[in-house]
Amino acid sequence: MGIPQPSLNRLPQYHHYLNQLKAKGINTVSCSLIGLDLNLVPVQIRKDLQYTGIVGKPKTGYAVAELIAAIETFLGWNNVQEAFLVGAGNLGTALLGHERFSTFGLRIVAAFDTDPEKIGQWIHGKMVLPLEKLADLAKRMSIHLGIITAPAECAQWIAEKMVSGGIQAIWNFAPVRLNVPPEIIVHNEDLYSSLASLSWKLAQRFNIPFQQDGGSN
Amino acid sequence: MGIPQPSLNRLPQYHHYLNQLKAKGINTVSCSLIGLDLNLVPVQIRKDLQYTGIVGKPKTGYAVAELIAAIETFLGWNNVQEAFLVGAGNLGTALLGHERFSTFGLRIVAAFDTDPEKIGQWIHGKMVLPLEKLADLAKRMSIHLGIITAPAECAQWIAEKMVSGGIQAIWNFAPVRLNVPPEIIVHNEDLYSSLASLSWKLAQRFNIPFQQDGGSN
DNA sequence: CATATCTCGATATTTTTTTATCGATATCCA
DNA sequence: TGGATATCGATAAAAAAATATCGAGATATG
Ligand SMILES: NC(=O)c1ccc[n+]([C@@H]2O[C@H](COP(=O)([O-])OP(=O)(O)OC[C@H]3O[C@@H](n4cnc5c(N)ncnc54)[C@H](O)[C@@H]3O)[C@@H](O)[C@H]2O)c1
Ligand SMILES: NC(=O)c1ccc[n+]([C@@H]2O[C@H](COP(=O)([O-])OP(=O)(O)OC[C@H]3O[C@@H](n4cnc5c(N)ncnc54)[C@H](O)[C@@H]3O)[C@@H](O)[C@H]2O)c1
């Protein structure tokens, strides 16, 4: 990995922030300013941005437009990835309807499900197809990205179908660790993990654990 | 912070895995086994689990049921947190409909929106209320957790309303960093960050970058 | 035109997190 | 019963990430 995972995760934040600046007509920015607004230390931002290959000017900072372009290029958001989504339920529907993904190089082209009631429906302009067709279609359409928003129980099985269809990367919203060949990129989006942090911190606060844990943060 | 953030994030994974074991009738487990299934090294798991205060037995491992209970207690999933959700759109609807959150100590009790068409509707058994009522109701009902699934532009404004209503923790799905008093816990669920990692790795694979930058990994 | 100041980029240090090592102990099996 | 073995818990080492420091170059100001 050429870039630390945390840096990679911060890049979209910068991207969003920079777009706000651009919208305001600001066209040059320094790490100190970003840090002030985003609550990060300037050195960290500088390091993160260096991975994109952009260079700044002392005293001035970076050109906003160039920086945005550099991040987009670095993240591969310029060449759109087409994706299949499996599990046209609550969450799947939300993702299907999210236009803004296209800004980030993602276009969901079709949904798949096993529920006969769902199959054949159109959701947010995308057709729901029977799961059996996935592998074949993925191959024919050269789809490389799969999104899993089906129940945890079926996730492994779906992943295998995806792999057999030549899919290379899986964005998995089901709370299971998928067992796939090592060359397949899997990214688990575990909402329960986030929730866990949150509820722990909140519980911590209300329990008033003997000693207010330094109260540092 | 008494526990590393990454450990905190892994606990729900263990929880989910342990429940699967329990369902299979397995009632004792070792870190080696967990590690095998979850693709983690046993030492790390042992360390993570130690934060929950549970103790295992040499040679045997841990009692599954006890471990599950320990994690739940540690994460505060026993005393249910009631929450308000703001932004009854695509994503908000998905979250409102997700029954399983209750297993993790989260109960969304009401939704709020500014859209007159949404207000008054029932979504997955929860009423959509006008945003103006949020602060007042939060105070009266002692709600401590707020979920933001509204557009990024309004997120800051919504956060302020939440804070004024006495809400202590915010689960923010909008891609902006919220500016709130330091004592407020904010957890940003940035789906674009995840997507960024994924698309970077995928782009990396297809670009076959003319191996500057070491290209080591 | 000189000087003060700001910010970059590189390098060094500190902190955090992951991984390795090792003795102690519970269980299994001969 | 006694030895082999697996696994825990604690401590140590290594790796990764965050933060600090500093010289150099750009810009503004007097
Ligand atoms: N909705 C949320 O807020 C939320 C939050 C966190 C995690 N998740 C996870 O996301 C996943 C989906 O959640 P949801 O709320 O959308 O569930 P859902 O029940 O609304 O949707 C699941 C969909 O998957 C389909 N499905 C079932 N078995 C299938 C199979 N074998 N192959 C293909 N499709 C199949 C169902 O027909 C349904 O359309 C779950 O794993 C859930 O744990 C959801
Ligand atoms: N849907 C997704 O898959 C997805 C993915 C990533 C991020 N997000 C983020 O989640 C948020 C919501 O996404 P969505 O797809 O549900 O959008 P959406 O447009 O479907 O829903 C937004 C909802 O917020 C309401 N709203 C607008 N202004 C409001 C205000 N001032 N106060 C209260 N409510 C207000 C709207 O009436 C609407 O019901 C956005 O910030 C989006 O960037 C969504």
Side-chain angles (χ1 to χ4, degrees):
Chain A
M1 187 82 66
I3 174 177
Q5 187 67 41
S7 298
L8 200 45
N9 289 143
R10 280 186 296 267
L11 286 177
Q13 272 183 46
Y14 302 138
H15 182 265
H16 189 263
Y17 171 76
L18 291 164
N19 270 314
Q20 288 180 321
L21 289 189
K22 195 180 161 197
K24 281 192 217 156
I26 297 166
N27 43 30
T28 189
V29 68
S30 73
C31 289
S32 337
L33 179 62
I34 301 179
L36 219 61
D37 287 342
L38 256 42
N39 243 55
L40 296 165
V41 295
V43 226
Q44 186 169 59
I45 301 170
R46 208 169 293 130
K47 269 205 149 179
D48 290 342
L49 296 182
Q50 279 172 2
Y51 289 108
T52 68
I54 197 161
V55 297
K57 264 201 280 188
K59 179 88 181 183
T60 319
Y62 304 87
V64 172
E66 279 179 32
L67 199 38
I68 291 173
I71 293 174
E72 289 178 353
T73 304
F74 182 80
L75 293 177
W77 285 355
N78 291 325
N79 0 17
V80 171
Q81 278 288 345
E82 298 196 318
F84 279 173
L85 181 146
V86 178
N90 283 316
L91 191 55
T93 301
L95 296 180
L96 285 170
H98 196 54
E99 312 288 343
R100 261 163 69 73
F101 278 138
S102 65
T103 319
F104 309 107
L106 174 66
R107 196 164 91 223
I108 306 176
V109 291
F112 294 83
D113 210 299
T114 46
D115 184 345
E117 298 219 347
K118 301 250 160 125
I119 294 169
Q121 277 189 21
W122 291 80
I123 300 182
H124 294 297
K126 280 110 186 183
M127 197 172 195
V128 182
L129 301 164
L131 190 62
E132 300 88 63
K133 293 201 177 170
L134 184 139
D136 203 49
L137 264 178
K139 263 186 219 142
R140 286 198 359 234
M141 298 176 67
S142 296
I143 301 291
H144 298 126
L145 179 56
I147 304 173
I148 299 180
T149 50
E153 298 77 57
C154 340
Q156 176 61 39
W157 185 65
I158 292 168
E160 281 159 23
K161 287 224 176 290
M162 285 180 169
V163 171
S164 81
I167 280 179
Q168 311 245 343
I170 298 176
W171 195 9
N172 175 35
F173 284 79
V176 260
R177 179 146 314 218
L178 301 175
N179 210 333
V180 292
E183 72 274 14
I184 305 295
I185 302 159
V186 176
H187 200 113
N188 297 298
E189 190 69 47
D190 194 346
L191 295 186
Y192 305 132
S193 287
S194 305
L195 182 55
S197 305
L198 207 58
S199 47
W200 182 78
K201 290 174 190 167
L202 209 50
Q204 209 68 354
R205 171 160 308 179
F206 285 100
N207 286 348
I208 311 286
F210 31 119
Q211 280 280 349
Q212 54 283 43
D213 72 84
S216 52
N217 243 354
Chain B
M1 189 82 66
I3 174 176
Q5 187 67 42
S7 298
L8 201 45
N9 288 142
R10 279 187 296 267
L11 286 178
Q13 273 183 45
Y14 303 136
H15 183 265
H16 189 265
Y17 171 75
L18 291 164
N19 270 314
Q20 288 180 319
L21 290 189
K22 194 179 161 198
K24 283 191 217 156
I26 297 166
N27 42 32
T28 188
V29 68
S30 73
C31 289
S32 338
L33 180 62
I34 302 179
L36 220 60
D37 287 343
L38 256 42
N39 241 54
L40 296 165
V41 295
V43 224
Q44 186 169 59
I45 300 170
R46 208 169 294 130
K47 269 208 146 178
D48 289 343
L49 296 182
Q50 278 171 2
Y51 289 108
T52 68
I54 197 161
V55 296
K57 262 201 279 188
K59 179 88 182 186
T60 319
Y62 304 88
V64 172
E66 279 178 32
L67 200 38
I68 292 173
I71 293 174
E72 290 178 352
T73 304
F74 182 79
L75 293 176
W77 285 354
N78 291 325
N79 357 18
V80 171
Q81 278 288 345
E82 299 196 318
F84 279 173
L85 180 146
V86 178
N90 283 315
L91 191 55
T93 301
L95 296 181
L96 286 170
H98 195 56
E99 311 288 344
R100 261 162 71 73
F101 278 138
S102 64
T103 319
F104 309 106
L106 174 66
R107 197 165 89 221
I108 306 176
V109 291
F112 294 82
D113 211 299
T114 46
D115 183 347
E117 297 220 346
K118 300 250 160 124
I119 293 169
Q121 276 188 21
W122 290 80
I123 300 182
H124 293 297
K126 280 109 186 184
M127 197 171 197
V128 183
L129 301 164
L131 191 61
E132 300 88 63
K133 293 201 176 169
L134 184 139
D136 203 48
L137 265 178
K139 261 186 222 143
R140 286 200 357 236
M141 297 174 67
S142 299
I143 301 291
H144 299 125
L145 179 55
I147 304 173
I148 299 180
T149 51
E153 298 76 56
C154 340
Q156 176 61 39
W157 184 66
I158 291 167
E160 282 160 21
K161 287 224 175 290
M162 285 179 168
V163 171
S164 81
I167 280 179
Q168 311 245 343
I170 298 176
W171 195 9
N172 174 36
F173 284 79
V176 260
R177 179 144 317 216
L178 300 174
N179 211 331
V180 293
E183 72 273 15
I184 305 294
I185 302 159
V186 176
H187 200 113
N188 297 298
E189 190 70 46
D190 194 346
L191 294 186
Y192 306 132
S193 287
S194 305
L195 183 55
S197 304
L198 208 57
S199 47
W200 182 79
K201 289 173 189 165
L202 210 49
Q204 208 69 353
R205 172 161 306 179
F206 286 101
N207 286 348
I208 311 285
F210 31 111
Q211 64 197 65
Q212 352 89 312
D213 78 78
S216 53
N217 241 355

